[in-house]
Amino acid sequence: MKLAALFSALALGIASFASQAADPVVIKFSHVVAPDTPKGRAADYFKKLAEERAKGRVKVEVYPNSQLYKDREEMEALQIGAVQMLAPSLAKFGPLGVRSFELFDLPYIFPNKETLYRVMDGDIGKKLFGLLDAKGITGLGFWDNGFKQRSANKPLHSVDDFKGLKLRIQSSKVLEAQMKALGANPQVMAFSEVYSALQQGVVDGTENPMSNLYTQKMHEVQKHLTLSDHGYLGYAVIVNKKFWADLPADLRDTLNKAMQETTVFERKIAQEENDEALAKVKAAGTTQVYTLPYRDRVVWQQAMLPVHKEFEEKIGRDLIQAAYQTAATVEKEKAAKAVAPAMKDKPGPVKATRPAKPEKN
Ligand code: LMR
C-alpha cells in the first residue's frame, strides 16, 4: 500500500515537472495604437488575465504602436501565422475581401453605444465573424473605441469647409465615399504615418476618436477639432484560425473566458479614455475645440447619408436593415423606460426622417 502511494506521488511529481518544463504557447499580439488607449490597455489586461489563468502554459507578448507591423502588414502576418492575435479596427477588413465589416463605417448609423453593442454581440456580429472563417481567421470579440471627431488646420463647421481638403482615412471604401460626399479628397494611409503626414502637410486633416488623436499627438499638428461624432471606430479581436483550433481545448476555453472578461473591461474604459483625452487636448491649448451644433449635425448627416444606399450591395442590405432595426428597438425601449416624457427634439434612428444624434454612454 505504502509502495503504491509512493509510486503514485512520484508519477504525479514527474507529470507536474514535465508540464512545468514544457514551453509555454506564445501569443504575439500586435497592434498599432499606444498602450494608454482603450485597445492598448485591453491588450495588456488580456495578457495579464490569460497568463495568470493559464498558469504558465501561455505567454502573451504585446507589441503596441506598430512596432512589429503596420495596418495592412499585420493582417498578412496573422494569416501566415507570424503573429497570433490582432485587434484591427473594423474599417480595415475590406482589403481582406470581407466588405461587410464596413457596416460600422457608415456615417451616423449608430445613435448610441447600446445599439452598437447589440449589433456586435448579436446575429450581425456572428455573421461577420463567420465571414472570416474562409480567410483563415477566427473572431473572438468586438472591442470599443468611440465616435470619431474631425480635425484639420482650418475650422470645420459647415460642409463647405471640407471642399478640396486632403483627409487621411483608414482603408475603407465607405470612408472614402463619406469624404467624397463632403467634397474632400480622401487619402488612405497607415495609422503609424498619420502624425508625420499631418506635420508635413501631406494631408490636411483626419478623423479619429479622441484617445487616438491625443496619444498620437495629432493635436500638436492640428489647429482645429470639431466634435461631430459622425462615425464610429471599434475593433474585432482576431486570431489565426489554425493556431486557435490546434490549442488544447481546455486552454482555448481559458483564453476565451479571459477574452470575454477583457471585453467587458475594454468597453468600460473606452468612454473614460476618450473623455480624458478630450480634456487633455483642451488643456494643451494647441487646438481649438468646436462642438458641432445639432442643427449642423443634421446638415452633415444629410450630406453623407447617400453613402448608406451606395453601399447596400457591398455591405449587405440585410445587415444595414438589421442595424437600423436594432437602433429603432433600442430607441423604443428607451422611450418606454423614460419616466419623464421624451424630449421633443430627441432624434430617432438614422433611418427616420429626423437624423440620429450619437449619445455618449
Ligand atoms: C486608425 O487607423 O485610425 C485606427 O484604426 C487606429 C486604431 O487601431 O485605433
Side-chain angles (χ1 to χ4, degrees):
M1 199 61 189
K2 271 191 182 158
L3 208 62
L6 188 69
F7 272 125
S8 79
L10 210 62
L12 266 176
I14 290 169
S16 93
F17 176 77
S19 82
Q20 274 168 25
D23 285 342
V25 172
V26 174
I27 299 179
K28 287 193 175 148
F29 187 163
S30 171
H31 69 80
V32 300
V33 295
D36 50 343
T37 54
K39 175 162 68 179
R41 283 184 62 194
D44 293 341
Y45 190 88
F46 173 73
K47 170 184 167 67
K48 189 170 171 294
L49 275 193
E51 290 182 351
E52 269 169 23
R53 306 269 170 87
K55 300 189 171 40
R57 292 167 72 197
V58 160
K59 189 165 180 286
V60 182
E61 295 174 357
V62 179
Y63 298 94
N65 268 326
S66 310
Q67 244 171 57
L68 276 191
Y69 299 106
K70 294 187 205 171
D71 297 326
R72 199 176 177 135
E73 300 163 357
E74 69 173 16
M75 285 288 200
E76 286 159 12
L78 185 84
Q79 285 181 300
I80 61 167
V83 292
Q84 290 70 38
M85 191 175 278
L86 306 173
S89 96
L90 300 163
K92 293 178 184 166
F93 285 76
L96 266 187
V98 277
R99 300 285 303 279
S100 293
F101 279 76
E102 291 178 3
L103 169 76
F104 291 95
D105 299 329
L106 290 172
Y108 290 110
I109 191 165
F110 300 110
N112 47 52
K113 291 263 178 99
E114 266 159 271
T115 303
L116 184 76
Y117 296 149
R118 282 195 204 183
V119 165
M120 288 173 159
D121 300 336
D123 291 346
I124 302 180
K126 280 196 195 86
K127 186 164 179 184
L128 292 173
F129 277 166
L131 298 173
L132 295 178
D133 211 54
K135 308 289 171 191
I137 293 173
T138 299
L140 298 186
F142 288 99
W143 286 358
D144 190 13
N145 189 331
F147 291 105
K148 289 180 288 185
Q149 321 302 347
R150 296 192 183 277
S151 64
N153 276 324
K154 60 174 271 198
L156 299 172
H157 296 182
S158 76
V159 169
D160 282 349
D161 295 332
F162 288 90
K163 291 243 148 47
L165 284 188
K166 273 187 274 162
L167 299 178
R168 179 267 172 176
I169 55 163
Q170 306 173 77
S171 54
S172 153
K173 294 289 178 201
V174 167
L175 297 181
E176 188 180 306
Q178 171 213 261
M179 291 307 192
K180 284 186 178 159
L182 294 170
N185 176 6
Q187 312 271 321
V188 175
M189 188 177 287
F191 186 63
S192 53
E193 289 159 13
V194 181
Y195 175 86
S196 59
L198 289 170
Q199 189 185 38
Q200 290 160 20
V202 175
V203 288
D204 302 308
T206 185
E207 57 169 18
N208 239 300
M210 292 309 300
S211 54
N212 277 346
L213 183 129
Y214 177 71
T215 52
Q216 295 299 314
K217 301 189 188 336
M218 292 181 203
H219 60 291
E220 291 177 2
V221 286
Q222 295 278 264
K223 292 199 179 72
H224 293 271
L225 174 72
T226 297
L227 302 178
S228 53
D229 291 335
H230 61 279
Y232 176 71
L233 189 141
Y235 309 105
V237 187
I238 54 176
V239 280
N240 178 289
K241 183 176 146 187
K242 180 164 173 12
F243 163 78
W244 195 246
D246 287 350
L247 287 177
D250 66 318
L251 187 56
R252 200 168 46 237
D253 193 44
T254 302
L255 295 176
N256 254 325
K257 288 198 180 111
M259 182 53 69
Q260 278 164 20
E261 278 179 50
T262 305
T263 300
V264 172
F265 166 80
E266 203 273 347
R267 290 182 186 179
K268 197 167 143 307
I269 62 162
Q271 190 62 52
E272 287 161 25
E273 287 287 321
N274 281 305
D275 290 346
E276 268 172 36
L278 174 59
K280 285 176 182 160
V281 166
K282 283 182 177 166
T286 50
T287 312
Q288 211 169 326
V289 181
Y290 173 76
T291 303
L292 192 67
Y294 181 58
R295 59 165 197 280
D296 293 331
R297 259 173 210 247
V298 177
V299 181
W300 284 35
Q301 182 171 344
Q302 291 309 323
M304 294 187 273
L305 211 51
V307 176
H308 288 220
K309 188 106 199 95
E310 190 184 332
F311 281 84
E312 247 178 27
E313 221 175 281
K314 289 275 181 323
I315 291 172
R317 190 164 189 276
D318 55 332
L319 291 185
I320 299 179
Q321 290 300 326
Y324 290 161
Q325 191 51 50
T326 310
T329 307
V330 168
E331 216 45 61
K332 231 190 249 165
E333 287 173 10
K334 278 191 180 181
K337 255 196 238 152
V339 272
M343 275 157 43
K344 272 214 196 72
D345 66 345
K346 182 115 178 73
V350 74
K351 203 181 82 172
T353 41
R354 280 171 306 166
K357 180 181 179 184
E359 291 165 9
K360 298 218 167 131
N361 53 6

